Amino acid sequence: MAKIAPSLLSADFWQLSRQMEALEGAADYLHLDVMDGCFVPNISFGPLLISSLRLHSKLFFDVHLMVQNPDPFLESFRLAGADSLTVHAEACPHLHRTVQKIKALGAAAGVAVCPATPLSVLEEILPELDMVLIMSVNPGFGGQKFIPSALEKAVKLRQMINERGLAAAIEIDGGITMENAALAAKSGVDILVSGAALFGTRDLAAAVREMKALASSAT
Ligand code: DX5
Ligand code: ZN
């Protein structure tokens, strides 16, 4: 069954505790977008916010690090409560070392690829990964338009993973809505990140459930 990972980036921070409570029973993961103003042209939040949410939430914390050279920060995000740490292939000069560091910290290890990055960068590292994140927008902002070629990438990646008998889950991130959720799941995606399309609704928990049902019916 497909998993839904609402992206906190689109939350109304004035209403954060109410929105977190709504997600608690409905969502599978909480997607936390960390932006450094260097790898991506935006700055979001860091370990402080994550550790304060961790005190109150049982959700799986799926931390997406849009950070250039993230190695020095991995431990603080793990200590803050990250269950998985996903780094960008484009931001890590020694990706294998970074992935080993994440695993040594006891977190699930993910690698993200931007829309223009080919899947071939994952060929050697794929057996080491718990998750691959396919970006379906250029990272940096919520509420952008879905880039359809991400679906072909997901199909190809699903084939690579299955042919090699590997276990990595596929996550898709950016522009996921009620309209394309089923298509993403059909393309082999296991985890759907969604921000604007969920937080823009009146009933957040109902929207998460609806997206989960749409995605699950497609597989
Ligand atoms: C973009 C972030 C996404 C974003 C998704 O850089 O990585 O997680 O918040 O939000 P929507 O669904 O609004 O594109
Ligand atoms: Zn993200």
Side-chain angles (χ1 to χ4, degrees):
M1 200 189 281
K3 291 188 166 74
I4 306 297
S7 167
L8 195 78
L9 201 61
S10 292
D12 173 352
F13 280 65
W14 180 252
Q15 313 241 23
L16 199 51
S17 58
R18 197 184 57 77
Q19 294 191 322
M20 284 295 294
E21 274 165 22
L23 294 180
E24 211 64 32
D28 301 286
Y29 289 6
L30 181 68
H31 186 80
L32 295 144
D33 287 306
V34 177
M35 302 179 179
D36 68 348
C38 175
F39 177 63
V40 289
N42 199 2
I43 295 175
S44 58
F45 48 77
L48 187 68
L49 176 77
I50 296 173
S51 58
S52 100
L53 296 177
R54 183 75 290 173
L55 295 174
H56 306 283
S57 175
K58 292 194 167 55
L59 290 169
F60 183 98
F61 280 11
D62 165 33
V63 176
H64 177 192
L65 295 172
M66 284 161 274
V67 174
Q68 193 67 42
N69 293 321
D71 293 30
F73 305 104
L74 297 173
E75 189 174 6
S76 62
F77 282 102
R78 174 64 176 150
L79 290 173
D83 294 298
S84 70
L85 289 164
T86 297
V87 295
H88 268 265
E90 306 86 353
C92 300
H94 305 289
L95 185 59
H96 186 273
R97 177 183 291 147
T98 306
V99 167
Q100 299 313 318
K101 278 191 176 169
I102 294 172
K103 292 166 96 169
L105 290 167
V111 169
V113 284
C114 288
T117 302
L119 290 176
S120 55
V121 299
L122 299 172
E123 207 165 310
E124 315 297 337
I125 198 74
L126 200 52
E128 308 285 330
L129 301 183
D130 297 294
M131 186 171 89
V132 174
L133 188 165
I134 296 179
M135 287 303 308
S136 39
V137 297
N138 287 294
F141 303 92
Q144 300 182 81
K145 204 169 167 285
F146 183 75
I147 299 172
S149 60
L151 294 177
E152 289 157 43
K153 215 175 193 175
V155 170
K156 259 199 227 168
L157 178 60
R158 170 53 58 213
Q159 209 177 338
M160 271 168 82
I161 290 171
N162 290 358
E163 275 175 9
R164 294 171 66 183
L166 301 175
I170 305 178
E171 182 172 60
I172 197 162
D173 183 10
I176 294 292
T177 62
M178 298 298 173
E179 283 67 44
N180 58 23
L183 256 171
K186 221 179 178 170
S187 306
V189 170
D190 305 291
I191 308 152
L192 286 80
V193 177
S194 181
L198 296 176
F199 285 90
T201 59
R202 279 188 48 206
D203 186 338
L204 180 56
V208 172
R209 289 197 184 98
E210 185 186 341
M211 188 173 279
K212 194 176 168 82
L214 283 168
S216 301
S217 69
T219 53

